[in-house]
Amino acid sequence: YKAVARIAGNLIQCDSTSSNDDKTVLANAFAAVIAPRLIPDDLLKFNEQIKKTLGVQGEIKKSDKVKEAVVQALKKSNLPEDSPLAEKVYQLLWTLKIRHGVLLLDDKLKDSKLTLQVATDALAIIESVKTHTKVFTNFDKNHFYGSSENGSWKDGELSAEMRRLSKSNEGFNFLVFEGKVTSIW
């Protein structure tokens, strides 16, 4: 519930044009926190439950500018406008607006990669900013995080990238960890 309360506060701060009615803000916070984690069938049940409990429907914001950008990005990837992927892209873009980071996990890695590609293409249209995606595939602990050699620290691939990103101001950055999730992560 802390995450929902925090997101409710973020929603009030970043979207002053919407109703700040407590139930609406709470429903939208639930939608922002939980909806991206659900498959389409469960999303319908979730929305019904929120409406039944709070009396209002939570929603993922989709401005005309965002819709146009997503449609253009879908076309660029040769996907139809009504692709099931579109809803995940809207969720990802909304999540990026109200959170500082996001984790995409998918048993079909190509779906996550395609979602991210369409989202970054849409972001480039919406925000006119560069997006940078770094893909990590080698998860050897020393190579990935770094190691100490002869008393001096040598950054690993992830450490070096995080250091670079902390010094940059180049728009949106996405780190993709391609492979099975393990305890080393």
mmCIF file with all atom_site columns, all heavy atoms in Angstrom, residues 45-60:
data_model
loop_
_atom_site.group_PDB
_atom_site.id
_atom_site.type_symbol
_atom_site.label_atom_id
_atom_site.label_alt_id
_atom_site.label_comp_id
_atom_site.label_asym_id
_atom_site.label_entity_id
_atom_site.label_seq_id
_atom_site.pdbx_PDB_ins_code
_atom_site.Cartn_x
_atom_site.Cartn_y
_atom_site.Cartn_z
_atom_site.occupancy
_atom_site.B_iso_or_equiv
_atom_site.pdbx_formal_charge
_atom_site.auth_seq_id
_atom_site.auth_comp_id
_atom_site.auth_asym_id
_atom_site.auth_atom_id
_atom_site.pdbx_PDB_model_num
ATOM 1   N N   . LYS A 1 45 ? -10.853 -7.910  -14.791 1.00 0.00 ? 45 LYS A N   1
ATOM 2   C CA  . LYS A 1 45 ? -11.346 -8.238  -13.447 1.00 0.00 ? 45 LYS A CA  1
ATOM 3   C C   . LYS A 1 45 ? -10.877 -7.200  -12.422 1.00 0.00 ? 45 LYS A C   1
ATOM 4   O O   . LYS A 1 45 ? -11.637 -6.782  -11.552 1.00 0.00 ? 45 LYS A O   1
ATOM 5   C CB  . LYS A 1 45 ? -10.863 -9.627  -13.031 1.00 0.00 ? 45 LYS A CB  1
ATOM 6   C CG  . LYS A 1 45 ? -11.452 -10.745 -13.858 1.00 0.00 ? 45 LYS A CG  1
ATOM 7   C CD  . LYS A 1 45 ? -10.805 -12.072 -13.487 1.00 0.00 ? 45 LYS A CD  1
ATOM 8   C CE  . LYS A 1 45 ? -11.178 -13.141 -14.493 1.00 0.00 ? 45 LYS A CE  1
ATOM 9   N NZ  . LYS A 1 45 ? -10.365 -14.325 -14.355 1.00 0.00 ? 45 LYS A NZ  1
ATOM 10  N N   . PHE A 1 46 ? -9.628  -6.787  -12.539 1.00 0.00 ? 46 PHE A N   1
ATOM 11  C CA  . PHE A 1 46 ? -9.068  -5.785  -11.635 1.00 0.00 ? 46 PHE A CA  1
ATOM 12  C C   . PHE A 1 46 ? -9.851  -4.476  -11.744 1.00 0.00 ? 46 PHE A C   1
ATOM 13  O O   . PHE A 1 46 ? -10.243 -3.885  -10.732 1.00 0.00 ? 46 PHE A O   1
ATOM 14  C CB  . PHE A 1 46 ? -7.588  -5.560  -11.966 1.00 0.00 ? 46 PHE A CB  1
ATOM 15  C CG  . PHE A 1 46 ? -6.989  -4.363  -11.292 1.00 0.00 ? 46 PHE A CG  1
ATOM 16  C CD1 . PHE A 1 46 ? -6.656  -4.410  -9.951  1.00 0.00 ? 46 PHE A CD1 1
ATOM 17  C CD2 . PHE A 1 46 ? -6.756  -3.202  -11.992 1.00 0.00 ? 46 PHE A CD2 1
ATOM 18  C CE1 . PHE A 1 46 ? -6.096  -3.303  -9.314  1.00 0.00 ? 46 PHE A CE1 1
ATOM 19  C CE2 . PHE A 1 46 ? -6.197  -2.091  -11.371 1.00 0.00 ? 46 PHE A CE2 1
ATOM 20  C CZ  . PHE A 1 46 ? -5.873  -2.154  -10.032 1.00 0.00 ? 46 PHE A CZ  1
ATOM 21  N N   . ASN A 1 47 ? -10.089 -4.010  -12.977 1.00 0.00 ? 47 ASN A N   1
ATOM 22  C CA  . ASN A 1 47 ? -10.824 -2.766  -13.183 1.00 0.00 ? 47 ASN A CA  1
ATOM 23  C C   . ASN A 1 47 ? -12.240 -2.843  -12.612 1.00 0.00 ? 47 ASN A C   1
ATOM 24  O O   . ASN A 1 47 ? -12.730 -1.880  -12.015 1.00 0.00 ? 47 ASN A O   1
ATOM 25  C CB  . ASN A 1 47 ? -10.862 -2.393  -14.662 1.00 0.00 ? 47 ASN A CB  1
ATOM 26  C CG  . ASN A 1 47 ? -9.521  -1.880  -15.148 1.00 0.00 ? 47 ASN A CG  1
ATOM 27  O OD1 . ASN A 1 47 ? -8.730  -1.364  -14.370 1.00 0.00 ? 47 ASN A OD1 1
ATOM 28  N ND2 . ASN A 1 47 ? -9.267  -2.030  -16.426 1.00 0.00 ? 47 ASN A ND2 1
ATOM 29  N N   . GLU A 1 48 ? -12.887 -3.990  -12.783 1.00 0.00 ? 48 GLU A N   1
ATOM 30  C CA  . GLU A 1 48 ? -14.233 -4.182  -12.216 1.00 0.00 ? 48 GLU A CA  1
ATOM 31  C C   . GLU A 1 48 ? -14.198 -4.079  -10.693 1.00 0.00 ? 48 GLU A C   1
ATOM 32  O O   . GLU A 1 48 ? -15.069 -3.457  -10.080 1.00 0.00 ? 48 GLU A O   1
ATOM 33  C CB  . GLU A 1 48 ? -14.797 -5.549  -12.629 1.00 0.00 ? 48 GLU A CB  1
ATOM 34  C CG  . GLU A 1 48 ? -15.183 -5.649  -14.075 1.00 0.00 ? 48 GLU A CG  1
ATOM 35  C CD  . GLU A 1 48 ? -15.529 -7.077  -14.496 1.00 0.00 ? 48 GLU A CD  1
ATOM 36  O OE1 . GLU A 1 48 ? -15.626 -7.976  -13.620 1.00 0.00 ? 48 GLU A OE1 1
ATOM 37  O OE2 . GLU A 1 48 ? -15.690 -7.297  -15.706 1.00 0.00 ? 48 GLU A OE2 1
ATOM 38  N N   . GLN A 1 49 ? -13.187 -4.676  -10.081 1.00 0.00 ? 49 GLN A N   1
ATOM 39  C CA  . GLN A 1 49 ? -13.073 -4.660  -8.622  1.00 0.00 ? 49 GLN A CA  1
ATOM 40  C C   . GLN A 1 49 ? -12.808 -3.253  -8.089  1.00 0.00 ? 49 GLN A C   1
ATOM 41  O O   . GLN A 1 49 ? -13.387 -2.839  -7.085  1.00 0.00 ? 49 GLN A O   1
ATOM 42  C CB  . GLN A 1 49 ? -11.975 -5.617  -8.158  1.00 0.00 ? 49 GLN A CB  1
ATOM 43  C CG  . GLN A 1 49 ? -11.952 -5.837  -6.667  1.00 0.00 ? 49 GLN A CG  1
ATOM 44  C CD  . GLN A 1 49 ? -13.230 -6.472  -6.147  1.00 0.00 ? 49 GLN A CD  1
ATOM 45  O OE1 . GLN A 1 49 ? -13.770 -7.380  -6.739  1.00 0.00 ? 49 GLN A OE1 1
ATOM 46  N NE2 . GLN A 1 49 ? -13.720 -5.971  -5.039  1.00 0.00 ? 49 GLN A NE2 1
ATOM 47  N N   . ILE A 1 50 ? -11.945 -2.506  -8.769  1.00 0.00 ? 50 ILE A N   1
ATOM 48  C CA  . ILE A 1 50 ? -11.659 -1.125  -8.354  1.00 0.00 ? 50 ILE A CA  1
ATOM 49  C C   . ILE A 1 50 ? -12.932 -0.283  -8.458  1.00 0.00 ? 50 ILE A C   1
ATOM 50  O O   . ILE A 1 50 ? -13.266 0.476   -7.548  1.00 0.00 ? 50 ILE A O   1
ATOM 51  C CB  . ILE A 1 50 ? -10.523 -0.509  -9.211  1.00 0.00 ? 50 ILE A CB  1
ATOM 52  C CG1 . ILE A 1 50 ? -9.188  -1.163  -8.871  1.00 0.00 ? 50 ILE A CG1 1
ATOM 53  C CG2 . ILE A 1 50 ? -10.441 1.004   -9.027  1.00 0.00 ? 50 ILE A CG2 1
ATOM 54  C CD1 . ILE A 1 50 ? -8.704  -0.924  -7.464  1.00 0.00 ? 50 ILE A CD1 1
ATOM 55  N N   . LYS A 1 51 ? -13.644 -0.431  -9.562  1.00 0.00 ? 51 LYS A N   1
ATOM 56  C CA  . LYS A 1 51 ? -14.881 0.350   -9.739  1.00 0.00 ? 51 LYS A CA  1
ATOM 57  C C   . LYS A 1 51 ? -15.912 -0.019  -8.670  1.00 0.00 ? 51 LYS A C   1
ATOM 58  O O   . LYS A 1 51 ? -16.584 0.844   -8.105  1.00 0.00 ? 51 LYS A O   1
ATOM 59  C CB  . LYS A 1 51 ? -15.451 0.147   -11.134 1.00 0.00 ? 51 LYS A CB  1
ATOM 60  C CG  . LYS A 1 51 ? -16.634 1.045   -11.394 1.00 0.00 ? 51 LYS A CG  1
ATOM 61  C CD  . LYS A 1 51 ? -16.946 1.165   -12.850 1.00 0.00 ? 51 LYS A CD  1
ATOM 62  C CE  . LYS A 1 51 ? -18.076 2.172   -12.995 1.00 0.00 ? 51 LYS A CE  1
ATOM 63  N NZ  . LYS A 1 51 ? -18.037 2.891   -14.190 1.00 0.00 ? 51 LYS A NZ  1
ATOM 64  N N   . LYS A 1 52 ? -16.023 -1.319  -8.366  1.00 0.00 ? 52 LYS A N   1
ATOM 65  C CA  . LYS A 1 52 ? -16.971 -1.783  -7.355  1.00 0.00 ? 52 LYS A CA  1
ATOM 66  C C   . LYS A 1 52 ? -16.588 -1.244  -5.971  1.00 0.00 ? 52 LYS A C   1
ATOM 67  O O   . LYS A 1 52 ? -17.443 -0.812  -5.200  1.00 0.00 ? 52 LYS A O   1
ATOM 68  C CB  . LYS A 1 52 ? -16.984 -3.311  -7.352  1.00 0.00 ? 52 LYS A CB  1
ATOM 69  C CG  . LYS A 1 52 ? -17.937 -3.940  -6.371  1.00 0.00 ? 52 LYS A CG  1
ATOM 70  C CD  . LYS A 1 52 ? -17.854 -5.456  -6.490  1.00 0.00 ? 52 LYS A CD  1
ATOM 71  C CE  . LYS A 1 52 ? -18.642 -6.130  -5.392  1.00 0.00 ? 52 LYS A CE  1
ATOM 72  N NZ  . LYS A 1 52 ? -18.504 -7.583  -5.446  1.00 0.00 ? 52 LYS A NZ  1
ATOM 73  N N   . THR A 1 53 ? -15.299 -1.242  -5.665  1.00 0.00 ? 53 THR A N   1
ATOM 74  C CA  . THR A 1 53 ? -14.830 -0.830  -4.341  1.00 0.00 ? 53 THR A CA  1
ATOM 75  C C   . THR A 1 53 ? -14.842 0.684   -4.154  1.00 0.00 ? 53 THR A C   1
ATOM 76  O O   . THR A 1 53 ? -15.301 1.185   -3.132  1.00 0.00 ? 53 THR A O   1
ATOM 77  C CB  . THR A 1 53 ? -13.397 -1.361  -4.099  1.00 0.00 ? 53 THR A CB  1
ATOM 78  O OG1 . THR A 1 53 ? -13.397 -2.769  -4.286  1.00 0.00 ? 53 THR A OG1 1
ATOM 79  C CG2 . THR A 1 53 ? -12.908 -1.028  -2.708  1.00 0.00 ? 53 THR A CG2 1
ATOM 80  N N   . LEU A 1 54 ? -14.314 1.415   -5.147  1.00 0.00 ? 54 LEU A N   1
ATOM 81  C CA  . LEU A 1 54 ? -14.162 2.861   -5.001  1.00 0.00 ? 54 LEU A CA  1
ATOM 82  C C   . LEU A 1 54 ? -15.260 3.671   -5.691  1.00 0.00 ? 54 LEU A C   1
ATOM 83  O O   . LEU A 1 54 ? -15.384 4.866   -5.462  1.00 0.00 ? 54 LEU A O   1
ATOM 84  C CB  . LEU A 1 54 ? -12.794 3.311   -5.534  1.00 0.00 ? 54 LEU A CB  1
ATOM 85  C CG  . LEU A 1 54 ? -11.576 2.752   -4.793  1.00 0.00 ? 54 LEU A CG  1
ATOM 86  C CD1 . LEU A 1 54 ? -10.300 3.143   -5.515  1.00 0.00 ? 54 LEU A CD1 1
ATOM 87  C CD2 . LEU A 1 54 ? -11.555 3.249   -3.359  1.00 0.00 ? 54 LEU A CD2 1
ATOM 88  N N   . GLY A 1 55 ? -15.995 3.027   -6.597  1.00 0.00 ? 55 GLY A N   1
ATOM 89  C CA  . GLY A 1 55 ? -17.049 3.732   -7.317  1.00 0.00 ? 55 GLY A CA  1
ATOM 90  C C   . GLY A 1 55 ? -16.551 4.527   -8.511  1.00 0.00 ? 55 GLY A C   1
ATOM 91  O O   . GLY A 1 55 ? -17.320 5.218   -9.170  1.00 0.00 ? 55 GLY A O   1
ATOM 92  N N   . VAL A 1 56 ? -15.262 4.454   -8.776  1.00 0.00 ? 56 VAL A N   1
ATOM 93  C CA  . VAL A 1 56 ? -14.685 5.130   -9.945  1.00 0.00 ? 56 VAL A CA  1
ATOM 94  C C   . VAL A 1 56 ? -13.712 4.178   -10.631 1.00 0.00 ? 56 VAL A C   1
ATOM 95  O O   . VAL A 1 56 ? -13.221 3.231   -10.032 1.00 0.00 ? 56 VAL A O   1
ATOM 96  C CB  . VAL A 1 56 ? -13.935 6.433   -9.565  1.00 0.00 ? 56 VAL A CB  1
ATOM 97  C CG1 . VAL A 1 56 ? -14.890 7.490   -9.077  1.00 0.00 ? 56 VAL A CG1 1
ATOM 98  C CG2 . VAL A 1 56 ? -12.850 6.183   -8.552  1.00 0.00 ? 56 VAL A CG2 1
ATOM 99  N N   . GLN A 1 57 ? -13.442 4.461   -11.894 1.00 0.00 ? 57 GLN A N   1
ATOM 100 C CA  . GLN A 1 57 ? -12.551 3.619   -12.693 1.00 0.00 ? 57 GLN A CA  1
ATOM 101 C C   . GLN A 1 57 ? -11.161 4.224   -12.714 1.00 0.00 ? 57 GLN A C   1
ATOM 102 O O   . GLN A 1 57 ? -11.016 5.418   -13.001 1.00 0.00 ? 57 GLN A O   1
ATOM 103 C CB  . GLN A 1 57 ? -13.105 3.530   -14.121 1.00 0.00 ? 57 GLN A CB  1
ATOM 104 C CG  . GLN A 1 57 ? -12.320 2.634   -15.038 1.00 0.00 ? 57 GLN A CG  1
ATOM 105 C CD  . GLN A 1 57 ? -12.540 1.173   -14.705 1.00 0.00 ? 57 GLN A CD  1
ATOM 106 O OE1 . GLN A 1 57 ? -13.658 0.740   -14.523 1.00 0.00 ? 57 GLN A OE1 1
ATOM 107 N NE2 . GLN A 1 57 ? -11.467 0.429   -14.632 1.00 0.00 ? 57 GLN A NE2 1
ATOM 108 N N   . GLY A 1 58 ? -10.145 3.438   -12.416 1.00 0.00 ? 58 GLY A N   1
ATOM 109 C CA  . GLY A 1 58 ? -8.764  3.899   -12.571 1.00 0.00 ? 58 GLY A CA  1
ATOM 110 C C   . GLY A 1 58 ? -8.412  3.874   -14.040 1.00 0.00 ? 58 GLY A C   1
ATOM 111 O O   . GLY A 1 58 ? -8.972  3.098   -14.813 1.00 0.00 ? 58 GLY A O   1
ATOM 112 N N   . GLU A 1 59 ? -7.503  4.753   -14.441 1.00 0.00 ? 59 GLU A N   1
ATOM 113 C CA  . GLU A 1 59 ? -7.150  4.776   -15.856 1.00 0.00 ? 59 GLU A CA  1
ATOM 114 C C   . GLU A 1 59 ? -5.683  5.115   -16.069 1.00 0.00 ? 59 GLU A C   1
ATOM 115 O O   . GLU A 1 59 ? -5.060  5.779   -15.255 1.00 0.00 ? 59 GLU A O   1
ATOM 116 C CB  . GLU A 1 59 ? -8.033  5.772   -16.609 1.00 0.00 ? 59 GLU A CB  1
ATOM 117 C CG  . GLU A 1 59 ? -7.830  7.210   -16.170 1.00 0.00 ? 59 GLU A CG  1
ATOM 118 C CD  . GLU A 1 59 ? -8.660  8.187   -16.979 1.00 0.00 ? 59 GLU A CD  1
ATOM 119 O OE1 . GLU A 1 59 ? -8.822  7.978   -18.195 1.00 0.00 ? 59 GLU A OE1 1
ATOM 120 O OE2 . GLU A 1 59 ? -9.128  9.168   -16.388 1.00 0.00 ? 59 GLU A OE2 1
ATOM 121 N N   . ILE A 1 60 ? -5.189  4.621   -17.190 1.00 0.00 ? 60 ILE A N   1
ATOM 122 C CA  . ILE A 1 60 ? -3.866  4.980   -17.671 1.00 0.00 ? 60 ILE A CA  1
ATOM 123 C C   . ILE A 1 60 ? -4.095  6.133   -18.637 1.00 0.00 ? 60 ILE A C   1
ATOM 124 O O   . ILE A 1 60 ? -4.871  6.009   -19.582 1.00 0.00 ? 60 ILE A O   1
ATOM 125 C CB  . ILE A 1 60 ? -3.196  3.797   -18.407 1.00 0.00 ? 60 ILE A CB  1
ATOM 126 C CG1 . ILE A 1 60 ? -3.089  2.562   -17.513 1.00 0.00 ? 60 ILE A CG1 1
ATOM 127 C CG2 . ILE A 1 60 ? -1.852  4.191   -18.976 1.00 0.00 ? 60 ILE A CG2 1
ATOM 128 C CD1 . ILE A 1 60 ? -2.159  2.688   -16.340 1.00 0.00 ? 60 ILE A CD1 1
#
